[in-house]
Each structure stands twice: as C-alpha cells, then as structure tokens.
Amino acid sequence: MVIVDMHEVNLRAVDLNLLVVLEALLEERSVTRAAERLHMSQPAVSRALQRLRDTFDDLLIARSGTHYTLTPRAEHLQVELTWVLKNIRQMVQAPKFDPLRTRQVVRMAGPDVEVCQLVPELLAHLQHAAPTLQVELDSRPSDYFSALVNGDIHFVISGLAPSQQDDQLHRIFLESTEVGLMMGAAHPLASQSIDLEAYLTARHGYISLTGRGPAFADATLKAMGKKRNTVLRLTSFASVADYCERSDLVFMLPKSIVEHVGKQRDVVFRPVPEELRAPELNFYLYWHQRNHRDPMHRWLREVVQSLVV
C-alpha cells in the first residue's frame, strides 16, 4: 500500500518572494548569474537558495563537474513555476483597457431628457473610438443613486443631488442651467411678468423622477405657508410640451430641458417669481468609488469631460 502525505502546506510559513529567486536560479543554473539578474549580492542569493532547499527538502541545483544541473524535483518545479509566476504577475499588474477592442458593457441611468442631452454625442464619439463598447441606458423613473450604490449601474446623469451615502460617490460637472416656467404660448401668463400671486392661482404640473414625493417648489412654498394648485404629476419630461400646448398647465423646469422638449413646439419659457428663484441648477455625471480606478471607467470619464468642455 502506498501512503500519501495529505498534510496541507501552510503558505503563511512560506516566503513567496523566494519564488522569484528560484525562477532565476533554475533558469540561470548559477548563483552568480542569478545574483546579477536579480541585482542582488551573491551571499544573499546563496542564503535564499539554502532556504529554498529547506522549503522543498531538495538540493534543487547540484554541482556536476564544472557546472550545475537541476534535480528531478527542480525540473518539475520549473514547469510549474513558470505558470504560477505568470499568473501572479498578471494578477498584480494593472488591468489594461483597449477601447478599440473592448466588448464591455456600460450601464448609465438618468431622466430621459437629461440622458438625451449627453449620450447621443457620446455615442457619436464611441462609434469610432470604441466601436464595440456596449452602452445600456435606463431612463425609467427610479432612485438612480440607490442603483448606483448597489452596483446595478455604472453612471448616473442627474441635476439632483444624492440624498445619502454621497461620500461614496464621485462626480464631474456637465452643465449649468437656470430654472423657469414652461407653458403654452396661448397661456394667459405667457405674455406677462409672473409674480407669486399669479403663480399660485395657475394650475400646475410637475415631474417626479422617482414616481413619488412632492416637487421642490411645493417644499419651498410650504416653508412660506403657501400652497400651489397641482393637478398633474408626470414621471418623464418627454410629454411635457404636449400638456402645455393643449392645457393651461404650468411646469417649473430647467431651461436646458425646456429648450430640448419645447423645440419647434408652441410653448414659452418665463422666469419664476422672485420668491421662488434659486441658484442655477448643475448637472453632473456621478459614479461610485468602487469603479473610480477602473481603466474603462477612467477612459470613459475622460471622454465625457472632453465633450462638455
């Protein structure tokens, strides 16, 4: 009966740095040449060889006349060592990204109109710079920042700020725009200055990107002890112009979005009442810290930055 020693090797007791020295010794078959190759002193390599002999319980290299030869165990180790060290080097080496060959998938999310202002130009660039890079867009009403934190998507395009865990997120600036009122050109308020009283008497619609919760204007008015007459809540910007043209509804929207959805439509853009005016709205591209150093993500962010300069 053959008895096989099944004791597990304790890797914590093995100095894995010695494997690099072993590789040089097995290939050079000389302490002197191995020391020169490794930029080490001969005594240091000799000490390493003795530790390797103790570890493997084998001479590894043995003098044969005027030169050294490998023991049978060393010949076997050399084959295994080449594969092991190659894999370790690949594991430690920073991953490379080739945009011309990549087939990676980039998942982006944001409101449809906000996405449409950036992504078409981005795709026009990618068709030459990264022709096989796949882009998935999700503009369904959702809590995009939670999806970003959970790892479901890679990038969020938004004018909103994350409500929590923003210390885990990075961002780059895309554009700034003022916020104003969009209404049909035939609306009674379309040709006049709109004060707070006129604003409150109008009928309002608003966009809730998450599909729930009040609009920013409602929270501001509540703090003032006032309330507007909201009769419609939408979860997308796409149909806003239709409602403005065919009804007396007023929407408070970023100007850049009004210019997009209201192009060649019978709508107007008017300033908000002085009491509701706020600083310009900033749009950002957000990503999670888990992807901050990923080569593909870094490359794509640089492309985006070049497009919005």
Side-chain angles (χ1 to χ4, degrees), residues 179-183 189-194 268-272:
V179 175
L181 304 177
M182 179 178 175
M183 63 195 74
L189 298 178
S191 58
Q192 66 182 68
S193 177
I194 304 173
V268 296
F269 179 79
R270 292 289 180 265
V272 299

Side-chain angles (χ1 to χ4, degrees), residues 72-305:
R73 178 77 189 278
E75 290 177 349
H76 175 74
L77 284 173
Q78 189 171 28
V79 176
E80 295 293 328
L81 189 62
T82 299
W83 178 83
V84 168
L85 290 181
K86 178 181 178 181
N87 280 275
I88 291 176
R89 289 179 177 119
Q90 289 178 344
M91 181 177 66
V92 175
Q93 185 180 31
K96 296 180 180 179
F97 173 69
D98 183 353
L100 292 174
R101 288 185 169 84
T102 184
R103 291 188 175 275
Q104 289 179 260
V105 177
V106 180
R107 297 187 299 276
M108 308 179 74
D112 47 7
V113 175
E114 295 181 28
V115 167
C116 285
Q117 292 184 77
L118 170 68
V119 178
E121 187 176 3
L122 174 61
L123 288 176
H125 178 89
L126 295 181
Q127 70 181 355
H128 302 294
T132 53
L133 180 69
Q134 300 178 54
V135 179
E136 295 181 357
L137 297 177
D138 189 349
S139 58
R140 293 171 296 177
S142 177
D143 184 350
Y144 301 122
F145 291 110
S146 291
L148 190 61
V149 170
N150 293 337
D152 298 326
I153 54 179
H154 299 125
F155 294 101
V156 165
I157 301 171
S158 181
L160 301 177
S163 58
Q164 57 184 351
Q165 296 179 309
D166 56 347
D167 60 320
Q168 300 177 14
L169 304 181
H170 297 265
R171 69 184 187 182
I172 54 176
F173 173 78
L174 298 178
E175 68 169 347
S176 249
T177 184
E178 65 177 300
V179 175
L181 304 177
M182 179 178 175
M183 63 195 74
H187 196 287
L189 298 178
S191 58
Q192 66 182 68
S193 177
I194 304 173
D195 59 18
L196 184 60
E197 182 179 355
Y199 177 83
L200 292 175
T201 59
R203 298 193 331 137
H204 296 271
Y206 70 98
I207 313 296
S208 176
L209 299 177
T210 62
R212 59 184 182 274
F216 161 79
D218 295 307
T220 304
L221 289 169
K222 183 177 181 179
M224 298 166 57
K226 300 181 181 297
K227 185 178 181 181
R228 62 178 180 169
N229 179 25
T230 55
V231 299
L232 177 66
R233 182 180 71 181
L234 302 174
T235 57
S236 169
F237 294 104
S239 60
V240 174
D242 295 299
Y243 290 102
C244 288
E245 284 183 332
R246 300 178 186 182
S247 73
D248 63 348
L249 292 180
V250 175
F251 287 82
M252 183 181 291
L253 298 171
K255 185 177 182 180
S256 60
I257 290 179
V258 172
E259 291 173 343
H260 184 85
V261 300
K263 188 179 298 182
Q264 298 181 335
R265 303 298 295 269
D266 198 17
V267 297
V268 296
F269 179 79
R270 292 289 180 265
V272 299
E274 184 68 32
E275 295 87 343
L276 297 179
R277 288 184 184 173
E280 287 193 330
L281 179 63
N282 294 325
F283 289 90
Y284 295 93
L285 179 74
Y286 291 89
W287 65 94
H288 194 271
Q289 62 183 8
R290 74 171 65 86
N291 295 318
H292 188 60
R293 299 186 184 278
D294 179 81
M296 183 272 286
H297 285 259
R298 294 174 68 173
W299 179 84
L300 194 64
R301 296 195 305 263
E302 290 172 359
V303 170
V304 171
Q305 284 186 299

